[in-house]
Every structure is written in C-alpha cells, then in structure tokens.
C-alpha cells in the first residue's frame, strides 16, 4: 500500500489551510490514479456493464455497512459529531434496495465480494474502535465523492445498462440534500471545525491517502473478478449447448462456482 512520510505531509500542508483543502492537496496524485483504474475508465467512457455495476454494489454495501456502523457508534465523538449527517447522507438502505432489485429478496445469500473490500471494512472498524477521529478521512472521501458525481454517474449507469424505470439506481439519489453544492460547503465547514493537534491532523491526511488506496484496490479486485468470471463463462459456453445455460444466470452467481479460478489471481472471496 502506498505510504506518505511526514516530510511529504508537511510539504503539502499549511497551518493556515483548512483540513478539507489539505486533504484535497495530499490526495491529488492518488485521486488521478483512482480515476484511471479500468472500472472508473469504463464509467468515464459510458461503458459500464451490468456485471460491473452489480459487483460494485456488492462491495459498496459492505464498505458503507462498516463506515456507517462506526459513524453511528461514534456519533457523539467530537471528531465525528460535526460531520454526522445520517438523514442526508446514509447509503446503506439505498444499497439494500438496489441489491434486492438485482438479486431478489435473498440477495445476501447470492453475492460475493473480493478480499480488498474485506480489508477496507477491517480498516474502518479498527479506526472506529481505536481512533474515531480518522473516520473523517473516509467519510469525506466517500460521501462527498458520491454526492459530487452521483447525478452524472447515475445517468451514465442508467443509459449504459438500460435501466429505463430508474430502479436499481437508488445509491445515486440523495433526497435529503436539496442543494449538493450548499451541502458540500456546510460539510467542509463542519469538518474544518474539528479540533485536531498537528499529529492528529497528519494522521487524518495519511488516512485520506489510505482511503483512496483502499478504493483503488477494491476497483482492481472487482475488475480481476469480472475478467476471470467472464473468461470462465466463455469457456463454459464453448463446452455446453445454449440450452444447458439458463439465460437468467448472472455473472455473480456464476463466479460462485469458480472460486478455484479466482484463487489463481490471488483473490480471497468472502460470502455474506
């Protein structure tokens, strides 16, 4: 995982700069890396596929379950309370609706996630228990990123996949936020009000970089999973007649039967 030493942090921060500006500065380079992962490039080109989107939703559900669980548990903590906006920002219920739309009521038994997602959730739970002030780095990175790009990405997803009714796109909707720009200003103001020592601030900046690195790992693992399952599906199509492969079989369901193949690319699979 990419690390940043204290000297690099010092070079990018200024005592007079707000925390939100400092996070933006120290994550500029890794933000570009995240945007250039294969999964995000597919989005930028308007070429996101249904299998990609389903796998992404599965990982996002686990990530937000961990993040929002720790935010709820630490809601009164001085490092969390100023940025605690469950009515406006919570994504867990929206992801549950989307997953139920694609996988049915038993969706929890039918989806899988890669090891990188598990590592991400472990990190969130660790800092939630031991150092809640670091949660601001993940909350800021995730929520404001989703809020900023939600409308655009939602439209790209809807057009690419052909979701004419809008179902399966709840994740991109923030009904509790009437003006995204004004809300982002409020959020930045609140996070900038969190009292931090220099050591704590450095820790938050390093955690923001880690948040991007963890997201990059998730994107890459999802793409590896998709590539392996697509290859296996293609090989199975060659070996069997069309009548033996149910048309409704999803790429995620198929991947359950090829864990051995997934293991060859070094990915641990966690079923929930």
């Amino acid at each position: 995982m990419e690390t940043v030493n204290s000297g690099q942090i010092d070079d990018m921060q200024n005592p007079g700069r707000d925390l939100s500006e400092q996070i933006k500065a120290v994550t500029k380079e890794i933000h570009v890396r995240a945007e250039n992962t294969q999964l995000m490039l597919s989005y930028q080109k308007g070429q996101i596929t249904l299998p990609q989107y389903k796998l992404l939703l599965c990982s996002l559900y686990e990530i937000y379950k961990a993040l929002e669980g720790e935010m709820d548990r630490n809601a009164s903590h001085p490092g969390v309370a100023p940025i605690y906006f469950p009515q406006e920002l919570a994504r867990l219920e929206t992801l549950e609706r989307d997953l139920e739309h694609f996988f049915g009521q038993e969706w929890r038994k039918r989806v899988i996630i890669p090891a990188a997602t598990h590592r991400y959730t472990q990190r969130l739970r660790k800092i939630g228990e031991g150092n809640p002030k670091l949660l601001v780095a993940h909350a800021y990175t995730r929520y404001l990123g989703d809020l900023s790009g939600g409308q655009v990405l939602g439209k790209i997803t809807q057009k690419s996949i052909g979701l004419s009714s809008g179902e399966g796109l709840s994740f991109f909707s923030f009904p509790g936020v009437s003006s995204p720009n004004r809300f982002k200003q409020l959020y930045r103001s609140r996070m900038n009000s969190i009292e931090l020592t220099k050591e704590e601030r450095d820790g938050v900046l390093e955690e923001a970089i880690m948040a991007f690195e963890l997201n990059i790992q998730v994107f890459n693992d999802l793409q590896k999973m998709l590539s392996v399952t697509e290859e296996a599906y293609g090989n199975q199509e060659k070996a069997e007649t069309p009548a033996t492969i149910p048309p409704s079989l999803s790429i995620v369901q198929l991947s359950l039967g090829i864990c051995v193949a997934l293991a060859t690319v070094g990915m641990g699979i966690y079923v929930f």
Side-chain angles (χ1 to χ4, degrees), residues 229-271:
T229 53
E230 285 180 332
E231 181 179 354
Y233 184 76
N235 292 337
Q236 186 172 349
E237 279 189 317
K238 293 177 182 178
E240 301 181 23
T241 63
T244 64
I245 303 175
S248 60
L249 183 65
S250 71
I251 197 72
V252 178
Q253 288 174 286
L254 177 64
S255 64
L256 285 168
I258 57 168
C259 288
V260 174
L262 288 171
T264 65
V265 294
M267 293 172 54
I269 301 299
Y270 297 84
V271 183

mmCIF file of all heavy atoms in Angstrom, residues 229-271:
data_model
loop_
_atom_site.group_PDB
_atom_site.id
_atom_site.type_symbol
_atom_site.label_atom_id
_atom_site.label_comp_id
_atom_site.label_asym_id
_atom_site.label_seq_id
_atom_site.Cartn_x
_atom_site.Cartn_y
_atom_site.Cartn_z
ATOM 1 N N THR A 229 -14.346 -14.321 -14.242
ATOM 2 C CA THR A 229 -15.665 -14.920 -14.406
ATOM 3 C C THR A 229 -16.113 -14.871 -15.864
ATOM 4 O O THR A 229 -16.746 -15.792 -16.362
ATOM 5 C CB THR A 229 -16.713 -14.227 -13.525
ATOM 6 O OG1 THR A 229 -16.686 -12.816 -13.763
ATOM 7 C CG2 THR A 229 -16.445 -14.479 -12.056
ATOM 8 N N GLU A 230 -15.771 -13.784 -16.561
ATOM 9 C CA GLU A 230 -16.134 -13.680 -17.974
ATOM 10 C C GLU A 230 -15.396 -14.734 -18.792
ATOM 11 O O GLU A 230 -15.955 -15.355 -19.695
ATOM 12 C CB GLU A 230 -15.824 -12.284 -18.500
ATOM 13 C CG GLU A 230 -16.828 -11.229 -18.037
ATOM 14 C CD GLU A 230 -16.485 -9.857 -18.579
ATOM 15 O OE1 GLU A 230 -15.284 -9.600 -18.834
ATOM 16 O OE2 GLU A 230 -17.401 -9.046 -18.740
ATOM 17 N N GLU A 231 -14.115 -14.952 -18.452
ATOM 18 C CA GLU A 231 -13.328 -15.964 -19.160
ATOM 19 C C GLU A 231 -13.905 -17.355 -18.898
ATOM 20 O O GLU A 231 -14.052 -18.167 -19.820
ATOM 21 C CB GLU A 231 -11.875 -15.902 -18.699
ATOM 22 C CG GLU A 231 -10.980 -16.918 -19.401
ATOM 23 C CD GLU A 231 -9.540 -16.834 -18.943
ATOM 24 O OE1 GLU A 231 -9.234 -15.904 -18.170
ATOM 25 O OE2 GLU A 231 -8.747 -17.687 -19.346
ATOM 26 N N ALA A 232 -14.252 -17.614 -17.629
ATOM 27 C CA ALA A 232 -14.820 -18.911 -17.290
ATOM 28 C C ALA A 232 -16.171 -19.114 -17.972
ATOM 29 O O ALA A 232 -16.502 -20.210 -18.435
ATOM 30 C CB ALA A 232 -14.972 -19.034 -15.776
ATOM 31 N N TYR A 233 -16.952 -18.041 -18.038
ATOM 32 C CA TYR A 233 -18.260 -18.124 -18.682
ATOM 33 C C TYR A 233 -18.105 -18.430 -20.168
ATOM 34 O O TYR A 233 -18.821 -19.243 -20.738
ATOM 35 C CB TYR A 233 -19.004 -16.807 -18.488
ATOM 36 C CG TYR A 233 -20.418 -16.809 -19.033
ATOM 37 C CD1 TYR A 233 -21.435 -17.458 -18.353
ATOM 38 C CD2 TYR A 233 -20.725 -16.150 -20.227
ATOM 39 C CE1 TYR A 233 -22.730 -17.456 -18.835
ATOM 40 C CE2 TYR A 233 -22.017 -16.147 -20.725
ATOM 41 C CZ TYR A 233 -23.018 -16.797 -20.017
ATOM 42 O OH TYR A 233 -24.294 -16.795 -20.500
ATOM 43 N N GLY A 234 -17.097 -17.780 -20.785
ATOM 44 C CA GLY A 234 -16.855 -18.028 -22.200
ATOM 45 C C GLY A 234 -16.428 -19.468 -22.456
ATOM 46 O O GLY A 234 -16.880 -20.107 -23.404
ATOM 47 N N ASN A 235 -15.566 -19.999 -21.587
ATOM 48 C CA ASN A 235 -15.137 -21.387 -21.733
ATOM 49 C C ASN A 235 -16.299 -22.355 -21.532
ATOM 50 O O ASN A 235 -16.399 -23.376 -22.211
ATOM 51 C CB ASN A 235 -14.031 -21.703 -20.728
ATOM 52 C CG ASN A 235 -12.739 -20.964 -21.044
ATOM 53 O OD1 ASN A 235 -12.515 -20.571 -22.182
ATOM 54 N ND2 ASN A 235 -11.906 -20.748 -20.033
ATOM 55 N N GLN A 236 -17.186 -22.012 -20.589
ATOM 56 C CA GLN A 236 -18.328 -22.883 -20.335
ATOM 57 C C GLN A 236 -19.287 -22.872 -21.515
ATOM 58 O O GLN A 236 -19.874 -23.887 -21.870
ATOM 59 C CB GLN A 236 -19.055 -22.432 -19.063
ATOM 60 C CG GLN A 236 -20.180 -23.380 -18.630
ATOM 61 C CD GLN A 236 -20.745 -23.014 -17.265
ATOM 62 O OE1 GLN A 236 -20.174 -22.208 -16.564
ATOM 63 N NE2 GLN A 236 -21.851 -23.602 -16.920
ATOM 64 N N GLU A 237 -19.431 -21.711 -22.156
ATOM 65 C CA GLU A 237 -20.316 -21.611 -23.316
ATOM 66 C C GLU A 237 -19.819 -22.495 -24.450
ATOM 67 O O GLU A 237 -20.595 -23.109 -25.177
ATOM 68 C CB GLU A 237 -20.404 -20.156 -23.783
ATOM 69 C CG GLU A 237 -21.372 -19.323 -22.974
ATOM 70 C CD GLU A 237 -21.558 -17.964 -23.625
ATOM 71 O OE1 GLU A 237 -20.556 -17.368 -24.065
ATOM 72 O OE2 GLU A 237 -22.699 -17.502 -23.706
ATOM 73 N N LYS A 238 -18.481 -22.581 -24.601
ATOM 74 C CA LYS A 238 -17.917 -23.410 -25.657
ATOM 75 C C LYS A 238 -18.143 -24.894 -25.370
ATOM 76 O O LYS A 238 -18.290 -25.698 -26.284
ATOM 77 C CB LYS A 238 -16.420 -23.142 -25.786
ATOM 78 C CG LYS A 238 -16.086 -21.738 -26.285
ATOM 79 C CD LYS A 238 -14.583 -21.527 -26.320
ATOM 80 C CE LYS A 238 -14.236 -20.110 -26.769
ATOM 81 N NZ LYS A 238 -12.767 -19.883 -26.763
ATOM 82 N N ALA A 239 -18.139 -25.250 -24.091
ATOM 83 C CA ALA A 239 -18.227 -26.660 -23.712
ATOM 84 C C ALA A 239 -19.659 -27.173 -23.624
ATOM 85 O O ALA A 239 -19.886 -28.369 -23.643
ATOM 86 C CB ALA A 239 -17.528 -26.884 -22.378
ATOM 87 N N GLU A 240 -20.621 -26.254 -23.503
ATOM 88 C CA GLU A 240 -22.000 -26.683 -23.311
ATOM 89 C C GLU A 240 -22.906 -26.083 -24.371
ATOM 90 O O GLU A 240 -22.598 -25.061 -24.977
ATOM 91 C CB GLU A 240 -22.499 -26.258 -21.925
ATOM 92 C CG GLU A 240 -21.672 -26.833 -20.789
ATOM 93 C CD GLU A 240 -22.218 -26.409 -19.437
ATOM 94 O OE1 GLU A 240 -23.422 -26.064 -19.371
ATOM 95 O OE2 GLU A 240 -21.469 -26.415 -18.462
ATOM 96 N N THR A 241 -24.022 -26.680 -24.578
ATOM 97 C CA THR A 241 -25.005 -26.128 -25.504
ATOM 98 C C THR A 241 -25.732 -25.002 -24.824
ATOM 99 O O THR A 241 -25.843 -24.968 -23.602
ATOM 100 C CB THR A 241 -26.015 -27.210 -25.906
ATOM 101 O OG1 THR A 241 -26.733 -27.622 -24.735
ATOM 102 C CG2 THR A 241 -25.336 -28.395 -26.537
ATOM 103 N N PRO A 242 -26.289 -24.062 -25.600
ATOM 104 C CA PRO A 242 -27.018 -22.940 -25.002
ATOM 105 C C PRO A 242 -28.149 -23.383 -24.091
ATOM 106 O O PRO A 242 -28.455 -22.708 -23.121
ATOM 107 C CB PRO A 242 -27.539 -22.172 -26.218
ATOM 108 C CG PRO A 242 -26.574 -22.522 -27.311
ATOM 109 C CD PRO A 242 -26.170 -23.942 -27.058
ATOM 110 N N ALA A 243 -28.782 -24.523 -24.384
ATOM 111 C CA ALA A 243 -29.926 -24.959 -23.588
ATOM 112 C C ALA A 243 -29.530 -25.320 -22.171
ATOM 113 O O ALA A 243 -30.363 -25.337 -21.271
ATOM 114 C CB ALA A 243 -30.595 -26.156 -24.247
ATOM 115 N N THR A 244 -28.256 -25.631 -21.930
ATOM 116 C CA THR A 244 -27.840 -26.054 -20.598
ATOM 117 C C THR A 244 -27.452 -24.873 -19.713
ATOM 118 O O THR A 244 -27.159 -25.036 -18.552
ATOM 119 C CB THR A 244 -26.633 -27.014 -20.679
ATOM 120 O OG1 THR A 244 -25.523 -26.313 -21.241
ATOM 121 C CG2 THR A 244 -26.980 -28.225 -21.518
ATOM 122 N N ILE A 245 -27.406 -23.664 -20.276
ATOM 123 C CA ILE A 245 -27.045 -22.475 -19.511
ATOM 124 C C ILE A 245 -28.269 -21.579 -19.377
ATOM 125 O O ILE A 245 -28.708 -20.980 -20.347
ATOM 126 C CB ILE A 245 -25.913 -21.677 -20.207
ATOM 127 C CG1 ILE A 245 -24.706 -22.582 -20.421
ATOM 128 C CG2 ILE A 245 -25.553 -20.453 -19.396
ATOM 129 C CD1 ILE A 245 -23.587 -21.923 -21.194
ATOM 130 N N PRO A 246 -28.838 -21.470 -18.183
ATOM 131 C CA PRO A 246 -30.028 -20.641 -18.001
ATOM 132 C C PRO A 246 -29.751 -19.200 -18.395
ATOM 133 O O PRO A 246 -28.731 -18.632 -18.010
ATOM 134 C CB PRO A 246 -30.301 -20.751 -16.492
ATOM 135 C CG PRO A 246 -29.601 -21.994 -16.068
ATOM 136 C CD PRO A 246 -28.404 -22.113 -16.955
ATOM 137 N N PRO A 247 -30.622 -18.588 -19.189
ATOM 138 C CA PRO A 247 -30.404 -17.215 -19.625
ATOM 139 C C PRO A 247 -30.331 -16.241 -18.472
ATOM 140 O O PRO A 247 -29.729 -15.182 -18.581
ATOM 141 C CB PRO A 247 -31.649 -16.920 -20.493
ATOM 142 C CG PRO A 247 -32.223 -18.253 -20.820
ATOM 143 C CD PRO A 247 -31.857 -19.162 -19.727
ATOM 144 N N SER A 248 -30.969 -16.573 -17.345
ATOM 145 C CA SER A 248 -31.016 -15.640 -16.221
ATOM 146 C C SER A 248 -29.790 -15.710 -15.342
ATOM 147 O O SER A 248 -29.662 -14.981 -14.372
ATOM 148 C CB SER A 248 -32.253 -15.926 -15.350
ATOM 149 O OG SER A 248 -32.193 -17.248 -14.847
ATOM 150 N N LEU A 249 -28.830 -16.618 -15.653
ATOM 151 C CA LEU A 249 -27.661 -16.785 -14.816
ATOM 152 C C LEU A 249 -26.823 -15.517 -14.821
ATOM 153 O O LEU A 249 -26.392 -15.042 -15.857
ATOM 154 C CB LEU A 249 -26.820 -17.951 -15.330
ATOM 155 C CG LEU A 249 -25.572 -18.321 -14.500
ATOM 156 C CD1 LEU A 249 -26.006 -18.816 -13.126
ATOM 157 C CD2 LEU A 249 -24.763 -19.380 -15.219
ATOM 158 N N SER A 250 -26.599 -14.937 -13.652
ATOM 159 C CA SER A 250 -25.828 -13.702 -13.572
ATOM 160 C C SER A 250 -24.353 -14.017 -13.440
ATOM 161 O O SER A 250 -23.964 -15.096 -13.007
ATOM 162 C CB SER A 250 -26.265 -12.864 -12.369
ATOM 163 O OG SER A 250 -25.845 -13.490 -11.180
ATOM 164 N N ILE A 251 -23.519 -13.066 -13.783
ATOM 165 C CA ILE A 251 -22.081 -13.260 -13.700
ATOM 166 C C ILE A 251 -21.654 -13.477 -12.255
ATOM 167 O O ILE A 251 -20.695 -14.179 -11.975
ATOM 168 C CB ILE A 251 -21.342 -12.044 -14.330
ATOM 169 C CG1 ILE A 251 -19.883 -12.396 -14.639
ATOM 170 C CG2 ILE A 251 -21.426 -10.843 -13.428
ATOM 171 C CD1 ILE A 251 -19.721 -13.307 -15.791
ATOM 172 N N VAL A 252 -22.373 -12.870 -11.295
ATOM 173 C CA VAL A 252 -22.014 -13.041 -9.893
ATOM 174 C C VAL A 252 -22.334 -14.453 -9.440
ATOM 175 O O VAL A 252 -21.562 -15.102 -8.740
ATOM 176 C CB VAL A 252 -22.744 -12.016 -9.019
ATOM 177 C CG1 VAL A 252 -22.397 -12.229 -7.552
ATOM 178 C CG2 VAL A 252 -22.368 -10.606 -9.440
ATOM 179 N N GLN A 253 -23.505 -14.960 -9.850
ATOM 180 C CA GLN A 253 -23.864 -16.328 -9.497
ATOM 181 C C GLN A 253 -22.860 -17.314 -10.083
ATOM 182 O O GLN A 253 -22.462 -18.280 -9.434
ATOM 183 C CB GLN A 253 -25.260 -16.656 -10.023
ATOM 184 C CG GLN A 253 -26.390 -15.955 -9.278
ATOM 185 C CD GLN A 253 -27.698 -16.219 -9.948
ATOM 186 O OE1 GLN A 253 -27.978 -15.672 -11.003
ATOM 187 N NE2 GLN A 253 -28.516 -17.058 -9.351
ATOM 188 N N LEU A 254 -22.460 -17.089 -11.330
ATOM 189 C CA LEU A 254 -21.520 -17.983 -11.980
ATOM 190 C C LEU A 254 -20.204 -18.030 -11.220
ATOM 191 O O LEU A 254 -19.591 -19.087 -11.070
ATOM 192 C CB LEU A 254 -21.262 -17.522 -13.423
ATOM 193 C CG LEU A 254 -20.227 -18.345 -14.206
ATOM 194 C CD1 LEU A 254 -20.718 -19.773 -14.394
ATOM 195 C CD2 LEU A 254 -19.933 -17.683 -15.531
ATOM 196 N N SER A 255 -19.783 -16.867 -10.694
ATOM 197 C CA SER A 255 -18.494 -16.810 -10.017
ATOM 198 C C SER A 255 -18.452 -17.665 -8.772
ATOM 199 O O SER A 255 -17.381 -18.063 -8.319
ATOM 200 C CB SER A 255 -18.143 -15.361 -9.653
ATOM 201 O OG SER A 255 -19.071 -14.847 -8.729
ATOM 202 N N LEU A 256 -19.594 -17.965 -8.195
ATOM 203 C CA LEU A 256 -19.632 -18.828 -7.021
ATOM 204 C C LEU A 256 -19.075 -20.210 -7.339
ATOM 205 O O LEU A 256 -18.543 -20.889 -6.462
ATOM 206 C CB LEU A 256 -21.072 -18.959 -6.510
ATOM 207 C CG LEU A 256 -21.630 -17.744 -5.778
ATOM 208 C CD1 LEU A 256 -23.139 -17.894 -5.590
ATOM 209 C CD2 LEU A 256 -20.949 -17.566 -4.442
ATOM 210 N N GLY A 257 -19.214 -20.628 -8.591
ATOM 211 C CA GLY A 257 -18.764 -21.966 -8.963
ATOM 212 C C GLY A 257 -17.339 -22.031 -9.439
ATOM 213 O O GLY A 257 -16.861 -23.095 -9.818
ATOM 214 N N ILE A 258 -16.638 -20.887 -9.455
ATOM 215 C CA ILE A 258 -15.276 -20.919 -9.979
ATOM 216 C C ILE A 258 -14.289 -20.279 -9.002
ATOM 217 O O ILE A 258 -13.365 -19.589 -9.389
ATOM 218 C CB ILE A 258 -15.204 -20.197 -11.333
ATOM 219 C CG1 ILE A 258 -15.707 -18.766 -11.203
ATOM 220 C CG2 ILE A 258 -15.955 -20.942 -12.386
ATOM 221 C CD1 ILE A 258 -15.385 -17.941 -12.424
ATOM 222 N N CYS A 259 -14.486 -20.524 -7.722
ATOM 223 C CA CYS A 259 -13.588 -19.958 -6.717
ATOM 224 C C CYS A 259 -12.153 -20.430 -6.915
ATOM 225 O O CYS A 259 -11.201 -19.730 -6.589
ATOM 226 C CB CYS A 259 -14.064 -20.310 -5.312
ATOM 227 S SG CYS A 259 -15.549 -19.397 -4.844
ATOM 228 N N VAL A 260 -11.981 -21.639 -7.460
ATOM 229 C CA VAL A 260 -10.638 -22.143 -7.717
ATOM 230 C C VAL A 260 -9.934 -21.267 -8.743
ATOM 231 O O VAL A 260 -8.764 -20.918 -8.599
ATOM 232 C CB VAL A 260 -10.689 -23.598 -8.219
ATOM 233 C CG1 VAL A 260 -9.298 -24.069 -8.620
ATOM 234 C CG2 VAL A 260 -11.249 -24.505 -7.123
ATOM 235 N N ALA A 261 -10.701 -20.862 -9.764
ATOM 236 C CA ALA A 261 -10.109 -19.990 -10.787
ATOM 237 C C ALA A 261 -9.758 -18.640 -10.195
ATOM 238 O O ALA A 261 -8.714 -18.066 -10.481
ATOM 239 C CB ALA A 261 -11.079 -19.812 -11.949
ATOM 240 N N LEU A 262 -10.624 -18.125 -9.324
ATOM 241 C CA LEU A 262 -10.357 -16.835 -8.710
ATOM 242 C C LEU A 262 -9.107 -16.889 -7.846
ATOM 243 O O LEU A 262 -8.353 -15.917 -7.763
ATOM 244 C CB LEU A 262 -11.556 -16.407 -7.856
ATOM 245 C CG LEU A 262 -12.793 -15.971 -8.629
ATOM 246 C CD1 LEU A 262 -13.967 -15.790 -7.678
ATOM 247 C CD2 LEU A 262 -12.534 -14.686 -9.385
ATOM 248 N N ALA A 263 -8.895 -18.029 -7.206
ATOM 249 C CA ALA A 263 -7.735 -18.164 -6.333
ATOM 250 C C ALA A 263 -6.432 -18.031 -7.113
ATOM 251 O O ALA A 263 -5.414 -17.620 -6.567
ATOM 252 C CB ALA A 263 -7.772 -19.502 -5.613
ATOM 253 N N THR A 264 -6.451 -18.348 -8.393
ATOM 254 C CA THR A 264 -5.246 -18.269 -9.204
ATOM 255 C C THR A 264 -4.779 -16.844 -9.411
ATOM 256 O O THR A 264 -3.635 -16.611 -9.763
ATOM 257 C CB THR A 264 -5.459 -18.930 -10.581
ATOM 258 O OG1 THR A 264 -6.426 -18.201 -11.325
ATOM 259 C CG2 THR A 264 -5.904 -20.354 -10.438
ATOM 260 N N VAL A 265 -5.674 -15.864 -9.199
ATOM 261 C CA VAL A 265 -5.252 -14.474 -9.329
ATOM 262 C C VAL A 265 -5.083 -13.835 -7.964
ATOM 263 O O VAL A 265 -5.039 -12.626 -7.816
ATOM 264 C CB VAL A 265 -6.251 -13.643 -10.172
ATOM 265 C CG1 VAL A 265 -6.265 -14.131 -11.587
ATOM 266 C CG2 VAL A 265 -7.649 -13.688 -9.578
ATOM 267 N N GLY A 266 -4.986 -14.681 -6.918
ATOM 268 C CA GLY A 266 -4.635 -14.180 -5.602
ATOM 269 C C GLY A 266 -5.740 -13.438 -4.890
ATOM 270 O O GLY A 266 -5.472 -12.566 -4.075
ATOM 271 N N MET A 267 -6.984 -13.751 -5.136
ATOM 272 C CA MET A 267 -8.090 -13.048 -4.516
ATOM 273 C C MET A 267 -8.818 -13.941 -3.539
ATOM 274 O O MET A 267 -9.207 -15.033 -3.857
ATOM 275 C CB MET A 267 -9.097 -12.566 -5.564
ATOM 276 C CG MET A 267 -8.573 -11.492 -6.471
ATOM 277 S SD MET A 267 -9.745 -11.181 -7.785
ATOM 278 C CE MET A 267 -11.217 -10.850 -6.832
ATOM 279 N N GLY A 268 -9.017 -13.431 -2.325
ATOM 280 C CA GLY A 268 -9.827 -14.141 -1.355
ATOM 281 C C GLY A 268 -11.273 -13.742 -1.555
ATOM 282 O O GLY A 268 -11.561 -12.583 -1.795
ATOM 283 N N ILE A 269 -12.194 -14.683 -1.456
ATOM 284 C CA ILE A 269 -13.611 -14.389 -1.648
ATOM 285 C C ILE A 269 -14.330 -14.522 -0.328
ATOM 286 O O ILE A 269 -14.158 -15.496 0.399
ATOM 287 C CB ILE A 269 -14.227 -15.352 -2.672
ATOM 288 C CG1 ILE A 269 -13.492 -15.226 -4.004
ATOM 289 C CG2 ILE A 269 -15.704 -15.089 -2.846
ATOM 290 C CD1 ILE A 269 -13.553 -13.858 -4.621
ATOM 291 N N TYR A 270 -15.150 -13.536 0.002
ATOM 292 C CA TYR A 270 -15.913 -13.545 1.236
ATOM 293 C C TYR A 270 -17.381 -13.512 0.916
ATOM 294 O O TYR A 270 -17.862 -12.583 0.279
ATOM 295 C CB TYR A 270 -15.530 -12.338 2.105
ATOM 296 C CG TYR A 270 -14.092 -12.370 2.529
ATOM 297 C CD1 TYR A 270 -13.082 -11.878 1.700
ATOM 298 C CD2 TYR A 270 -13.725 -12.932 3.750
ATOM 299 C CE1 TYR A 270 -11.769 -11.939 2.075
ATOM 300 C CE2 TYR A 270 -12.404 -12.976 4.129
ATOM 301 C CZ TYR A 270 -11.426 -12.483 3.295
ATOM 302 O OH TYR A 270 -10.120 -12.551 3.674
ATOM 303 N N VAL A 271 -18.130 -14.498 1.337
ATOM 304 C CA VAL A 271 -19.560 -14.584 1.097
ATOM 305 C C VAL A 271 -20.303 -14.079 2.326
ATOM 306 O O VAL A 271 -19.936 -14.406 3.439
ATOM 307 C CB VAL A 271 -19.968 -16.035 0.808
ATOM 308 C CG1 VAL A 271 -21.447 -16.113 0.488
ATOM 309 C CG2 VAL A 271 -19.151 -16.601 -0.341
#
